[in-house]
Amino acid sequence: VHEGTEERVDERHARVALNLLTEPGDPRVARLVAALGAQEVHARLLDDTDLDGVRSDVAARLAGLDPSGILAEAARMGVRFVVPGDPEWPDALDDLADVEPVQGMSGAPLGLWLRGPARLSEVCDRAVAVVGSRSATSYGAAVASDLAAHLSSADVSVVSGAAFGVDQAAHRGALAVRGRTVAVLACGVDRAYPAAHRDLLELLADEGLVVSELPPGSAPTRVRFLGRNRLIAALTQGTVVVEAAVRSGALNTAGWALRLNRIVMGVPGPVTSAASEGVHELLRLRGGQLVTRGSDVLELVSPAGSCLAPVRRAAPSPRDGLSPDQRVVLESVPLVRGAPPSSIARAAGLAEATVRAVLAELDRGGFVESRAGCWRQRPTSEPRRRLA
Amino acid sequence: VHEGTEERVDERHARVALNLLTEPGDPRVARLVAALGAQEVHARLLDDTDLDGVRSDVAARLAGLDPSGILAEAARMGVRFVVPGDPEWPDALDDLADVEPVQGMSGAPLGLWLRGPARLSEVCDRAVAVVGSRSATSYGAAVASDLAAHLSSADVSVVSGAAFGVDQAAHRGALAVRGRTVAVLACGVDRAYPAAHRDLLELLADEGLVVSELPPGSAPTRVRFLGRNRLIAALTQGTVVVEAAVRSGALNTAGWALRLNRIVMGVPGPVTSAASEGVHELLRLRGGQLVTRGSDVLELVSPAGSCLAPVRRAAPSPRDGLSPDQRVVLESVPLVRGAPPSSIARAAGLAEATVRAVLAELDRGGFVESRAGCWRQRPTSEPRRRLA
């Protein structure tokens, strides 16, 4: 017989306790909490005794925790813990409950630790993840930064992981235009990883938001990066991979985004650059969509038809102003050796008299020139460029 | 009443005469010839008299032509004229008959003028067009050349337009590996356009094939480039655009390839490069498929499953040899500040005794290090690189 239950803790405290006791993304914990509620799971674990009536190791550790004290200590550091049902909780995270485990990981988080003035639910209303290689090239860093600046200027939050390379460039691009940007970490929100980004993370905590599923003080581990990646994907409407080698963690984030039916995008680069190989594979084989600039991303993550990217046009050409007849005749005038109006008329499919009149107009416009009755196009480099 | 018909010429001579009299890609001519046959069209045009019994201008010009003499003269220059029904005629060209006119142009050619030792029908059995910007960057030229060399080495003919930039690089790449390469021109096969490519064209005529729909002596005009582009698309199983600005003629070729249900491919480049903008649009909006190397192209143009491109793999890592338990434990070891085995066991979800044993193994492998009973990952740049 066991000793009976402790005083029941409330939902938030139960989630804090379970969060401290378990690893992020453990599908068993997520399933139990989804089925029974965090309070009930907490109570049952606390009640757990083995055959001799001795408390299990888990129960003992759980009993030793002080959720209230932990929340109070976090609050002193400016850190809050949000759970489902809180106004700040983003419903988007619930999508994680329906995704099959990958590398043994799945499920909605028990709660999120937040540091910073932005409200998470508002941030997630319009948010895009910009992720990529830690060893980005200068090209990748520049593109990530421009992209983030463009998205921020359009009131889209830029979510990334505060890592070296693309992540850093994305956060900086957003900060540079006073945009909203959010770092999701694989360690406690009070820690700086990488250490060189301490200032960047402080700035994000001052102006944006730093998010983690892990309690304050937690160290980053490899599995925790994988769990973190699923949050980046879930918190956003789409993920853009800027540069990624074949085995890059950014592709793991993209994989989560695909499973969550988020929009997955990739920025192409030179096919000769190893830093773009993973992106090209994402685009070729995994259904990622090619984007080249912020407006392409906006078009894809916005309601259909509301944010169409402008069609690219070449610079206007003097030829644009030509009449249909002028255009046909000009296109039938040889480029190198001149031809008589009769031959040009044949090529243009027009009467020779018409062609003679039009050639005179084109001559005045500087498009053609004649010599001994034979006409050719004026050799300007500009129109030639666009020929074949 | 009219004077009666001339002696009827045979099909080949009728096609030569019509070819000399009309512009390539005139849909009216193609339709008439498809419906009546070239001999009948020839006869009717020759018969054409106006109300006063005077021969029309067209009939007079037709009567003045000497197809036999023209063919003989061409033969002296090493030029042959192939028509439907000839063993060398590629059936692929017949697909052009079913395509709606674009910019007033459509239809199968009346015949093709050829110069060079390769047999056109064999060339077209396995052929890919590699086209792109005249003002290619060094990146575009290098990629086009490598792609062409790879395709040629796999016995795929490389078809292009002998223009500056990508075309030239593609021909050169194929020639460098003694591959089969074909230039399709917008002027007579006896002419060099651009003039700077005279040597290249001579080499192609010596070792490969130079093709044109236009009779020898014809000058290049803008419309003739458009007509030429439809042949490049029709003669090949697929078209690869390597670099193309927004208004590039290579996109015109890609458009023909799309209408002909050929495979349309594009090589991405930096989004900051204007020379890649047109390719990215092709990939984003017009259904082009992204390719990064020759094997990607081979996979797409070959029968399904016969030529799968190898999956890219990252360089092998020492971590690849780890057992599942070793991997889980290593992934749970902190990266910066060390942690005791109990904490690592919690993160790994394994018994602490197991974790202690595995840590010792990992220590021997150089993956982890301990200090005062706390373990962290060995700071090597290599594993860190692949973290986030």
Side-chain angles (χ1 to χ4, degrees):
Chain A
V1 291
H2 58 77
E3 293 293 305
T5 57
E6 312 268 317
E7 193 188 331
R8 264 175 93 95
V9 299
D10 73 7
E11 177 79 10
R12 181 179 318 272
H13 289 83
R15 284 181 179 262
V16 169
L18 293 173
N19 179 244
L20 285 154
L21 197 74
T22 61
E23 270 295 305
D26 186 328
R28 298 165 305 176
V29 177
R31 261 198 307 274
L32 278 172
V33 169
L36 305 173
Q39 285 173 282
E40 182 62 22
V41 174
H42 183 269
R44 290 200 191 180
L45 286 173
L46 210 50
D47 239 17
D48 189 26
T49 48
D50 72 7
L51 281 178
D52 294 320
V54 177
R55 264 205 170 150
S56 76
D57 181 45
V58 166
R61 278 155 64 201
L62 200 56
L65 292 173
D66 170 20
S68 297
I70 287 160
L71 284 176
E73 195 187 338
R76 274 192 299 276
M77 297 189 296
V79 174
R80 60 196 186 274
F81 185 67
V82 299
V83 298
D86 285 346
E88 202 176 345
W89 183 259
D91 295 334
L93 288 175
D94 302 336
D95 296 350
L96 282 167
D98 307 320
V99 175
E100 286 296 302
V102 178
Q103 294 170 291
M105 194 165 290
S106 76
L110 290 161
L112 289 177
W113 300 89
L114 307 182
R115 191 156 77 100
R119 311 296 298 171
L120 185 59
S121 52
E122 287 172 26
V123 157
C124 295
D125 247 17
R126 262 167 81 77
V128 167
V130 178
V131 297
S133 176
R134 290 177 170 230
S135 42
T137 67
S138 57
Y139 164 70
V143 169
S145 180
D146 286 357
L147 208 58
H150 188 110
L151 293 171
S152 307
S153 302
D155 278 328
V156 172
S157 310
V158 171
V159 178
S160 197
F164 288 121
V166 168
D167 288 16
Q168 175 189 33
H171 290 304
R172 280 187 180 160
L175 288 168
V177 296
R178 302 283 172 272
R180 201 153 51 181
T181 181
V182 178
V184 186
L185 305 185
C187 59
V189 295
D190 58 326
R191 293 187 63 156
Y193 184 85
H197 286 181
R198 184 174 306 280
D199 288 352
L200 175 66
L201 287 164
E202 285 306 315
L203 195 56
L204 289 168
D206 283 349
E207 300 190 0
L209 201 57
V210 179
V211 177
S212 180
E213 190 177 358
L214 290 147
S218 304
T221 65
R222 187 172 283 253
V223 273
R224 287 173 177 175
F225 280 103
L226 300 177
R228 184 279 305 266
N229 292 344
R230 91 190 196 288
L231 296 185
I232 290 182
L235 288 168
T236 53
Q237 279 92 62
T239 292
V240 186
V241 182
V242 173
E243 278 190 323
V246 171
R247 241 194 231 198
S248 166
L251 299 177
N252 176 261
T253 308
W256 279 107
L258 285 167
R259 285 188 289 276
L260 286 161
N261 294 316
R262 305 300 198 252
I263 296 153
V264 176
M265 295 156 278
V267 177
V271 296
T272 46
S273 165
S276 288
E277 276 186 13
V279 182
H280 293 151
E281 291 246 325
L282 180 67
L283 299 176
R284 282 206 322 122
L285 305 175
R286 295 175 65 195
Q289 301 195 57
L290 189 150
V291 292
T292 63
R293 50 194 170 147
S295 53
D296 293 349
V297 176
L298 281 179
E299 178 175 322
L300 287 170
V301 300
S302 303
S306 70
C307 247
L308 298 177
V311 173
R312 280 194 202 232
R313 299 195 186 286
S317 150
R319 285 173 188 267
D320 293 343
L322 297 181
S323 72
D325 270 5
Q326 287 171 335
R327 187 178 298 267
V328 168
V329 171
L330 181 57
E331 290 178 349
S332 305
V333 174
L335 301 168
V336 186
R337 241 181 285 165
S342 58
S343 147
I344 295 166
R346 194 192 83 179
L350 294 171
E352 193 177 319
T354 311
V355 167
R356 284 180 184 279
V358 172
L359 283 170
E361 295 162 11
L362 292 171
D363 193 8
R364 284 195 294 276
F367 293 100
V368 297
E369 61 190 15
S370 68
R371 198 168 161 169
C374 283
W375 295 81
R376 65 169 198 165
Q377 297 198 21
R378 264 245 166 105
T380 60
S381 67
E382 183 273 324
R384 288 258 191 107
R385 276 260 156 135
R386 303 219 231 87
L387 255 178
Chain B
V1 288
H2 58 78
E3 292 294 305
T5 58
E6 313 269 316
E7 195 188 332
R8 266 176 92 94
V9 299
D10 73 7
E11 177 79 10
R12 181 180 319 272
H13 289 83
R15 283 181 180 261
V16 169
L18 294 173
N19 180 243
L20 284 153
L21 197 75
T22 60
E23 271 295 305
D26 186 328
R28 298 166 305 175
V29 177
R31 260 198 308 274
L32 278 171
V33 170
L36 305 173
Q39 284 173 282
E40 181 63 22
V41 173
H42 183 269
R44 289 200 191 181
L45 285 174
L46 210 50
D47 239 16
D48 190 24
T49 49
D50 74 6
L51 282 178
D52 294 321
V54 177
R55 265 207 168 149
S56 76
D57 182 45
V58 166
R61 278 158 63 202
L62 202 56
L65 293 175
D66 171 20
S68 297
I70 287 160
L71 286 175
E73 195 186 338
R76 275 193 298 277
M77 296 189 297
V79 174
R80 61 196 185 274
F81 184 66
V82 300
V83 298
D86 286 345
E88 202 175 346
W89 184 258
D91 296 334
L93 288 174
D94 302 336
D95 296 349
L96 282 166
D98 307 319
V99 175
E100 286 296 299
V102 178
Q103 293 170 293
M105 193 164 292
S106 76
L110 290 161
L112 289 177
W113 301 89
L114 307 182
R115 191 157 77 101
R119 310 298 297 171
L120 184 60
S121 52
E122 286 172 26
V123 158
C124 296
D125 248 18
R126 261 166 82 76
V128 166
V130 177
V131 298
S133 177
R134 291 179 169 228
S135 42
T137 67
S138 56
Y139 164 69
V143 170
S145 180
D146 285 357
L147 208 57
H150 189 110
L151 293 171
S152 307
S153 302
D155 277 327
V156 172
S157 310
V158 171
V159 178
S160 196
F164 288 121
V166 168
D167 288 15
Q168 176 188 32
H171 290 303
R172 281 187 179 158
L175 288 168
V177 296
R178 302 283 172 269
R180 202 152 53 180
T181 179
V182 178
V184 186
L185 305 185
C187 59
V189 294
D190 58 326
R191 293 187 62 156
Y193 183 85
H197 285 180
R198 185 173 305 279
D199 289 351
L200 175 66
L201 287 164
E202 286 305 315
L203 195 55
L204 289 168
D206 283 348
E207 300 190 0
L209 201 56
V210 179
V211 177
S212 180
E213 190 176 359
L214 290 149
S218 304
T221 65
R222 186 173 283 253
V223 272
R224 289 174 176 174
F225 280 102
L226 300 178
R228 185 277 307 266
N229 293 344
R230 91 189 195 291
L231 296 186
I232 290 181
L235 288 169
T236 52
Q237 277 94 61
T239 292
V240 186
V241 182
V242 173
E243 277 190 324
V246 171
R247 240 194 231 197
S248 166
L251 299 178
N252 176 262
T253 308
W256 279 107
L258 285 167
R259 284 188 290 276
L260 287 161
N261 294 316
R262 306 297 198 254
I263 296 152
V264 176
M265 295 155 278
V267 177
V271 297
T272 47
S273 165
S276 289
E277 277 188 12
V279 182
H280 293 151
E281 290 247 324
L282 180 68
L283 299 176
R284 280 207 322 122
L285 305 175
R286 296 175 65 195
Q289 301 195 58
L290 189 150
V291 291
T292 63
R293 51 193 170 149
S295 53
D296 294 349
V297 176
L298 282 181
E299 177 174 323
L300 287 169
V301 300
S302 303
S306 71
C307 247
L308 299 177
V311 172
R312 280 192 204 234
R313 299 196 186 285
S317 151
R319 284 174 188 266
D320 294 343
L322 297 182
S323 73
D325 269 5
Q326 286 171 334
R327 187 179 297 269
V328 167
V329 171
L330 181 57
E331 289 178 351
S332 304
V333 174
L335 301 167
V336 187
R337 240 180 287 165
S342 58
S343 146
I344 294 167
R346 194 191 84 181
L350 294 171
E352 194 177 317
T354 311
V355 167
R356 284 182 184 277
V358 172
L359 281 170
E361 294 161 13
L362 291 171
D363 193 9
R364 284 193 295 275
F367 293 100
V368 296
E369 60 190 15
S370 68
R371 197 168 162 170
C374 283
W375 295 81
R376 66 170 196 164
Q377 297 199 19
R378 265 249 165 104
T380 62
S381 66
E382 185 272 325
R384 290 257 191 107
R385 277 259 157 136
R386 304 220 232 88
L387 254 178

